[in-house]
Amino acid sequence: MILSGVKVIEFAGLAPGPFAGMVLADYGADVIVIERTQSAMPRPPSLARGKRSIMLNLKDKEGIKVANRLCENADVLIEPFRPGVMEKFGLGPDELLKNNPKLIYARMTGFGQSGSYSKMAGHDINYLGMTGLLSKLGREGGKPTAPLNLMADFAGGGLMCAMGVILALLERTKSGRGQVIDASMVDGASYIGSWIYQTKDAPYLWPIGDELGKNLLDTGSPFYDTYQTKDNKFMAVGAIEPQFYQQLINGLGLTDEDVPGQVDLDKWPETKKIFADVFRSKTQSEWCKVFDGVDACVTPVLTLEGAAQHSHNQTRKTFLTNEDGDAEPRPAPLLLRTPGVNYVKPNPVTGQHTEVVLKEVGYSQSEIDELIKNEVVKSETVKSML
Amino acid sequence: MALTGIRVVEIAGLAPAPMAGMILSDFGANVIRIDRTKQTETVDRLARGKRSIAVDLKSKEGANVVKRLSSNSDVLIEPYRPGVMERLGLGPDILMKDNPALVYARLSGFGQSGPYKGVAGHDINYLATSGVLSTLGKYKENPIAPINLVADFAGGGTLCSLGVLMALFNRTKTGKGQIVDVSMTEGAAYVASWLWRSQNLQLCWPTKIRGRNLLDTGAPFYNTYETQDGKYMAVGAIEPQFYALLLKGLGLTEENMPGPQIDIRKWPEMQKLFSDVFAKKTQAEWIELFGDSDACVSPILTLEGAATDVHNEARGSFMRNENGSYEPRPAPLLSETPGITEVKSDPNIGEHTEEVLQEFGYSKDEIDHLIKNDIVEKL
């Protein structure tokens, strides 16, 4: 696979770091998660598929030595801590890169390694708030609404971090050297939203730019929004271009006389109401029959389970099935010659691979036993859970 | 720079493909955008640092120009519905036979296969088909797509770049290129993988109802609030120690509260209480009051406000362009080989037609012939 042979040491964190690690694991990297032995919050194993887990006591000098040894021969390190924490552990980039100049040291934070907020706690909603993008998301008359934690934690966070790692790996094939990646979720989310900044003064996109939910793509327009169906499901309408809008009108059984003009902004609320009434007259599957295969840009809003069962997604194998029988998205994008995983590897039990990983970097069984005895490391084999 | 020496041919498209091209350009690649002839304006707002050559793709000679460019390039990005490139004689079979090292990226909404392939759509449709849209929005309101950020840009353009970079990395070992099939529907789903993988986490998803959960505007301590001056604050105080600091900053105590932090039945009431408190001070006053405390309370900045915020300025998170407005600096920051730190200008359509053709070995006579016959256009 693309990242076969690439060794990643991931210091366990909440969501962004683990997602970056998961992307790398999905494309073949050997990702070892370092979990802390005295962690206050147990890690929910949500993004750990295919990784290996070792438990270390990072507050113990011996534990730091173990971490050092793991990083000596690693290609990539991902850490999610506030700036300065790794340095306090004696695992900062200066030291680790000195020992291993080809190491790619990725630092995944909300606010970045510098700047006045860099030591502050925060979550996705705070980081997104700092980009300016959150101020544009929400319905008319309402308040800014963060789209869960997709934009900062995952898109601008883990995804951007993974991209930086691949960039650095690629660059390293030329230079032979690693480097530090300062992955800030504020920066990442902003960058992904570049187009919003670039187009904010375009009158056709943002006719009432300083108000929420009154513009082309932010639920202001009647032809770019969701509508409720008779059976309390929803359809998504994205009929921007005139030819698609025409198909939308046709499919709704309306004529040009029934509705105000597409670009009659003042009448958008009126048109919306007309569309809403029509959409409520049929069920979601009835609307699908009307619009499937038609170029109206009208598609069902599928639930998480529904998406996995939809015929299009099934044909594309967009979803994999895990051992519990539940669906989860298949790695994207599809590289045809060297794709990512096509099945769901199991989540490791915390500390499941402590011994095998230590052996891989040259520890003897007696050294390992000593480390376990002194609670420098912890080992949880699957057997011991029975 | 990280991608110095990498040549990218970007077939002009709406927004996702330009985003992919821009990311590659920002990190040093030489990106040539192929524009159609007979048009003066481009829709590409992500064009910084690219070069533009205008080619009549419908003509056989125009297709030959693209073939020649791609035979000497590393990456091609195309934004069309499946089959269009093949109809132009520029499908991967042809271009990669000529140049087996080519990374051929195909960026579409529904992917290169499946019943919806080739159906018209936009971000909202891809997001809907991915399942993600159903989780976004407030209680009792319709699902709301966050403009076109998640499918067009995160699951589309950015993921396309990731795929291209992975393919280039693989190529350093194998010498071979490959097709990268980027479906925005899948991309959106993959970026949101956690949604599927966390469904049984009670704390995050106490109900199966949109807008009634931890991170989707259900919780009062993970939400936005209007200030006295019509601005907003973002509150993300999930952990108990941060929640305690939130209450402190709001001048509330546990006793004031209708219930403990995680009593979801009391969430609507708690939200109203927080709303009332936040409405009593201006955004600036709240910023001052919360300072750099760990309450996870921060301002919701406007696009312009973000660019000039003291934290973002210190990080150089935004660059200023020739028009005096701001755009985000490429992320992430690579210490040795960062992306651009200043904004290169957008090309005009056809601005680099001659220059690019010369670079690819066309003689002056050949170029004159192409221009004279409207195969290519120059500015």
Side-chain angles (χ1 to χ4, degrees):
Chain A
M1 296 175 80
I2 293 199
L3 301 178
S4 295
V6 174
K7 197 168 228 159
V8 180
I9 306 293
E10 175 196 317
F11 284 78
L14 276 181
F19 183 61
M22 189 182 95
V23 173
L24 301 178
D26 281 349
Y27 286 92
D30 169 18
V31 179
I32 295 163
V33 184
I34 295 187
E35 311 264 12
R36 299 172 63 174
T37 51
Q38 289 120 340
S39 187
M41 269 181 87
R43 176 209 11 123
S46 333
L47 294 165
R49 67 186 185 209
K51 299 178 185 175
R52 297 193 291 166
S53 165
I54 156 171
M55 289 185 82
L56 279 190
N57 184 350
L58 291 178
K59 295 224 162 103
D60 186 317
K61 238 173 30 176
E62 293 298 318
I64 299 297
K65 280 207 194 127
V66 174
N68 257 305
R69 201 144 143 192
L70 293 175
C71 293
E72 250 164 34
N73 287 306
D75 296 289
V76 179
L77 177 151
I78 301 174
E79 64 96 352
F81 304 123
R82 299 200 212 188
V85 171
M86 287 294 272
E87 283 83 348
K88 240 179 34 230
F89 286 142
L91 296 170
D94 291 343
E95 294 163 83
L96 295 193
L97 278 159
K98 199 157 75 178
N99 279 341
N100 179 4
K102 66 174 179 40
L103 182 65
I104 290 156
Y105 193 115
R107 320 196 74 169
M108 181 75 260
T109 63
F111 295 116
Q113 297 295 314
S114 54
S116 48
Y117 283 175
S118 63
K119 297 271 166 73
M120 228 170 75
H123 278 290
D124 178 290
I125 199 171
N126 304 105
Y127 312 138
L128 195 59
M130 289 295 290
T131 65
L133 292 172
L134 180 51
S135 75
K136 311 290 283 177
L137 305 177
R139 288 190 176 277
E140 181 185 347
K143 353 171 245 184
T145 305
L148 288 163
N149 58 336
L150 296 179
M151 276 307 294
D153 274 359
F154 296 120
L159 175 64
M160 228 55 205
C161 180
M163 194 184 85
V165 167
I166 305 294
L167 256 175
L169 281 171
L170 183 58
E171 194 279 336
R172 195 180 75 175
T173 63
K174 287 186 290 182
S175 67
R177 291 201 310 267
Q179 55 184 308
V180 177
I181 300 175
D182 177 353
S184 139
M185 289 184 242
V186 173
D187 292 353
S190 302
Y191 190 46
I192 292 195
S194 286
W195 187 81
I196 308 293
Y197 301 85
Q198 303 284 42
T199 58
K200 66 178 169 59
D201 297 321
Y204 61 97
L205 284 170
W206 301 100
I208 310 178
D210 50 5
E211 286 189 52
L212 264 186
K214 287 194 160 167
N215 301 282
L216 188 74
L217 298 179
D218 67 354
T219 75
S221 77
F223 47 89
Y224 203 86
D225 200 352
T226 59
Y227 289 93
Q228 194 171 28
T229 59
K230 189 163 166 194
D231 51 347
N232 290 324
K233 297 184 177 173
F234 297 90
M235 296 299 286
V237 174
I240 305 176
E241 289 83 345
Q243 66 272 31
F244 303 152
Y245 184 78
Q246 196 54 59
Q247 298 275 42
L248 163 68
I249 302 289
N250 294 347
L252 292 177
L254 298 167
T255 67
D256 290 337
E257 284 76 49
D258 298 323
V259 276
Q262 183 182 12
V263 296
D264 193 342
L265 265 65
D266 293 332
K267 301 256 172 63
W268 274 358
E270 187 186 324
T271 308
K272 243 193 186 184
K273 216 187 150 296
I274 295 172
F275 287 176
D277 289 341
V278 177
F279 269 110
R280 259 195 296 271
S281 69
K282 287 190 173 61
T283 64
Q284 191 189 55
S285 55
E286 285 169 336
W287 284 122
C288 285
K289 284 208 187 65
V290 170
F291 285 110
D292 262 7
V294 173
D295 269 359
C297 305
V298 179
T299 49
V301 176
L302 302 172
T303 58
L304 298 182
E305 299 83 7
Q309 288 151 14
H310 190 274
S311 63
H312 177 79
N313 296 333
Q314 288 219 320
T315 307
R316 299 263 314 154
K317 299 194 169 57
T318 300
F319 293 87
L320 308 169
T321 309
N322 62 29
E323 341 170 273
D324 297 328
D326 300 318
E328 34 191 278
R330 185 244 311 131
L334 262 179
L335 279 77
L336 263 55
R337 197 166 48 76
T338 59
V341 291
N342 59 6
Y343 67 98
V344 184
K345 298 190 192 171
N347 295 329
V349 169
T350 303
Q352 181 180 350
H353 305 93
T354 298
E355 296 199 32
V356 65
V357 166
L358 291 176
K359 287 206 183 94
E360 268 171 21
V361 292
Y363 284 87
S364 69
Q365 188 60 53
S366 58
E367 286 177 306
I368 294 174
D369 291 339
E370 185 77 17
L371 289 171
I372 293 178
K373 199 170 98 198
N374 294 322
E375 292 185 349
V376 179
V377 307
K378 206 157 151 205
S379 173
E380 265 336 323
T381 57
V382 178
K383 254 197 313 196
S384 70
M385 305 284 289
L386 294 172
Chain B
M1 296 174 82
L3 301 179
T4 301
I6 298 289
R7 260 182 179 157
V8 179
V9 172
E10 174 196 317
I11 312 280
L14 272 183
M19 175 80 190
M22 184 184 89
I23 294 175
L24 300 176
S25 167
D26 282 351
F27 285 95
N30 168 0
V31 177
I32 296 157
R33 190 184 69 209
I34 308 225
D35 286 303
R36 295 215 139 119
T37 51
K38 300 188 181 32
Q39 60 168 85
T40 44
E41 288 251 352
T42 170
V43 295
D44 184 3
R45 291 286 172 273
L46 299 170
R48 65 189 184 211
K50 299 177 187 173
R51 295 191 292 168
S52 161
I53 158 172
V55 181
D56 177 13
L57 288 180
K58 296 216 167 115
S59 72
K60 202 149 153 285
E61 281 210 66
N64 286 339
V65 170
V66 176
K67 276 199 204 139
R68 196 149 149 188
L69 294 181
S70 94
S71 70
N72 284 306
S73 295
D74 301 287
V75 180
L76 178 137
I77 302 173
E78 65 95 353
Y80 296 137
R81 301 200 209 189
V84 172
M85 287 295 273
E86 283 83 348
R87 269 205 317 274
L88 295 172
L90 296 172
D93 292 345
I94 297 184
L95 296 191
M96 290 176 74
K97 182 150 120 213
D98 207 33
N99 179 5
L102 183 67
V103 174
Y104 193 116
R106 321 197 71 169
L107 181 38
S108 67
F110 296 115
Q112 298 295 315
S113 55
Y116 276 6
K117 99 175 176 199
V119 170
H122 280 289
D123 176 288
I124 198 172
N125 306 106
Y126 315 138
L127 199 60
T129 311
S130 72
V132 176
L133 181 53
S134 71
T135 66
L136 305 177
K138 293 161 91 164
Y139 178 57
K140 289 217 169 109
E141 288 183 10
N142 293 358
I144 171 173
I147 314 178
N148 59 336
L149 292 170
V150 179
D152 274 359
F153 297 122
T158 305
L159 219 55
C160 179
S161 303
L162 176 69
V164 164
L165 294 173
M166 288 199 289
L168 286 173
F169 178 66
N170 178 256
R171 196 180 74 168
T172 63
K173 289 186 280 187
T174 64
K176 297 209 288 261
Q178 59 185 304
I179 297 172
V180 182
D181 176 354
V182 189
S183 143
M184 290 187 247
T185 302
E186 292 165 5
Y190 187 51
V191 172
S193 285
W194 183 79
L195 299 187
W196 279 266
R197 293 184 58 93
S198 65
Q199 283 298 300
N200 52 7
L201 289 182
Q202 258 308 103
L203 180 62
C204 295
W205 306 102
T207 76
K208 289 291 178 201
I209 303 167
R210 181 178 56 254
R212 297 287 239 184
N213 299 285
L214 184 71
L215 301 177
D216 65 357
T217 75
F221 50 86
Y222 199 85
N223 223 306
T224 61
Y225 292 97
E226 191 173 352
T227 58
Q228 191 180 68
D229 51 346
K231 298 184 178 174
Y232 297 91
M233 295 299 284
V235 174
I238 305 176
E239 289 83 346
Q241 65 272 32
F242 302 156
Y243 180 74
L245 289 169
L246 166 68
L247 290 189
K248 182 149 159 253
L250 293 178
L252 297 167
T253 64
E254 283 283 0
E255 290 73 48
N256 295 139
M257 302 306 293
Q261 182 185 7
I262 51 173
D263 187 348
I264 66 173
R265 302 163 305 169
K266 298 279 163 43
W267 278 359
E269 207 181 319
M270 284 160 71
Q271 196 165 155
K272 192 159 181 322
L273 178 51
F274 287 171
S275 265
D276 291 342
V277 176
F278 269 109
K280 297 211 166 74
K281 290 187 170 62
T282 65
Q283 190 189 59
E285 286 169 331
W286 285 119
I287 293 174
E288 167 102 35
L289 193 150
F290 278 102
D292 52 10
S293 103
D294 272 359
C296 303
V297 178
S298 54
I300 297 181
L301 304 173
T302 59
L303 298 180
E304 299 81 6
T308 52
D309 169 87
V310 59
H311 173 81
N312 295 337
E313 271 202 333
R315 285 192 49 82
S317 297
F318 292 85
M319 308 177 292
R320 206 148 188 197
N321 61 31
E322 351 170 80
N323 304 324
S325 37
Y326 293 94
E327 32 195 280
R329 186 253 297 133
L333 270 175
L334 277 70
S335 61
E336 296 292 305
T337 58
I340 53 168
T341 49
E342 45 173 47
V343 186
K344 301 191 204 167
S345 55
D346 289 7
N348 291 306
I349 294 189
E351 188 178 334
H352 307 92
T353 297
E354 285 185 284
E355 178 187 308
V356 166
L357 291 173
Q358 267 161 22
E359 215 173 272
F360 280 78
Y362 282 84
S363 69
K364 186 160 185 332
D365 283 344
E366 287 179 298
I367 297 177
D368 288 342
H369 166 84
L370 291 172
I371 294 178
K372 202 167 104 209
N373 290 301
D374 289 335
I375 311 293
V376 304
E377 258 174 25
K378 62 176 188 159
L379 182 62

